[in-house]
């Protein structure tokens, strides 16, 4: 289970491997003014593409078996963004 945002339904809190991490992220992100991007390899649903899900200043990106290029633009509202596959192909040419 790689969804750090929501506890898995039907599981006791003591069996939730992300409970402590969620609590720490919640506390620390309130103190931190920057943005943080967490990336994991959780499987994606069929036909789904990786995308960043934001909760305040913490982003979460599940890749599954995909690879992506993340553009980091400090100082911009969109600090982290995914480069579209078409844009990656054009950049190589």
């Amino acid at each position: 289970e790689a969804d750090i945002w929501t506890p898995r339904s039907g599981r006791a809190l003591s069996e939730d491997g992300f409970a402590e991490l969620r609590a720490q992220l919640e506390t620390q992100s309130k103190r931190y003014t920057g943005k943080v991007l967490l990336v994991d390899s959780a499987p994606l649903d069929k036909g789904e593409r990786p995308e960043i899900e934001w909760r305040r200043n913490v982003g979460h990106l599940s890749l599954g078996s995909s690879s992506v290029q993340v553009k980091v633009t400090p100082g911009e509202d969109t600090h982290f963004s995914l480069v579209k596959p078409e844009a990656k192909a054009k950049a190589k040419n």
Side-chain angles (χ1 to χ4, degrees), residues 3-85:
D3 183 1
I4 60 151
W5 299 128
T6 340
R8 213 166 157 187
S9 61
R11 279 194 153 181
L13 195 55
S14 61
E15 295 176 6
D16 179 8
F18 288 107
E20 185 177 341
L21 174 61
R22 264 194 295 283
Q24 289 176 0
L25 279 173
E26 184 73 25
T27 302
Q28 295 298 322
S29 67
K30 288 178 182 176
R31 297 180 196 164
Y32 183 63
T33 57
K35 295 196 181 231
V36 175
L37 180 61
L38 304 172
V39 181
D40 65 49
S41 61
L44 301 173
D45 290 334
K46 188 174 180 177
E48 190 177 79
R49 300 182 100 174
E51 67 177 67
I52 301 171
E53 175 188 345
W54 288 98
R55 292 225 177 151
R56 292 175 297 281
N57 60 336
V58 179
H60 179 224
L61 173 62
S62 291
L63 297 176
S65 60
S66 302
S67 66
V68 296
Q69 181 177 349
V70 178
K71 182 178 179 183
V72 180
T73 315
E76 296 291 323
D77 287 341
T78 309
H79 192 81
F80 298 101
S81 59
L82 300 181
V83 177
K84 302 269 188 243

